[in-house]
Amino acid sequence: MTRTRLERVRASVGIAALALKQIQDDLTADDIVAPELAAILRELSEDTDPPGGFIAAVAQLLTTAAQRAERIEPDRDGDASCPLHEAAALLTDDAGQRLIWAARSLDPQGDLV
C-alpha cells in the first residue's frame, strides 16, 4: 500500500465527514419541519446522485472492500470479507429501509412526488 493511496483515502474521508457534519447541522436547525426532515431522509436513501442514495453508496464501498479482502485474505476463510459483506447488507436492507419508513411516517404525501 502506498502512502499516496492512504493519504487520498484520508482526504476523502475528511471531505465526507465535513459533508455529514453539514447535514447534521441542518438537522439540528430549530425551524426544520416534518416534510423537510422527511425529504432529507429520502435524499439519503433514494435514487438520487449517486444512484441508490448515500446509504447505497456506502454499502457499495463496503462490498468493494469485501471483494478485495476475499482476494487477499491469507487463509481465504472469510474472517475479513464476511463482516464487510454483512455490514453492506445491513446498510442496504436495514438502515435504508428504516430511513424510508421514518420519512413516510413524517410525510406520507412526500412519497407521491
Side-chain angles (χ1 to χ4, degrees):
M1 175 173 62
T2 66
R3 184 148 175 85
T4 308
R5 180 178 296 133
L6 183 56
E7 289 172 353
R8 284 194 311 266
V9 169
R10 283 182 181 149
S12 296
V13 169
I15 292 166
L18 288 172
L20 292 173
K21 176 66 173 125
Q22 178 61 55
I23 294 169
Q24 185 177 359
D25 290 347
D26 289 336
L27 290 172
T28 60
D30 291 335
D31 62 344
I32 195 167
V33 293
E36 186 177 20
L37 178 56
I40 291 169
L41 296 175
R42 286 185 182 99
E43 283 297 316
L44 294 173
S45 64
E46 291 183 351
D47 286 346
T48 56
D49 189 16
F54 175 77
I55 298 296
V58 173
Q60 181 59 46
L61 178 89
L62 293 173
T63 297
T64 301
Q67 292 167 343
R68 175 55 65 181
E70 287 170 357
R71 291 192 293 273
I72 63 175
E73 285 177 297
D75 297 333
R76 301 221 188 266
D77 57 4
D79 283 349
S81 59
C82 284
L84 292 168
H85 281 298
E86 290 170 357
L90 284 172
L91 278 173
T92 303
D93 299 341
D94 198 35
Q97 187 60 48
R98 289 174 189 272
L99 284 173
I100 292 167
W101 291 338
R104 285 182 183 158
S105 176
L106 290 164
D107 183 30
Q109 283 76 31
D111 285 336
L112 304 176
V113 265

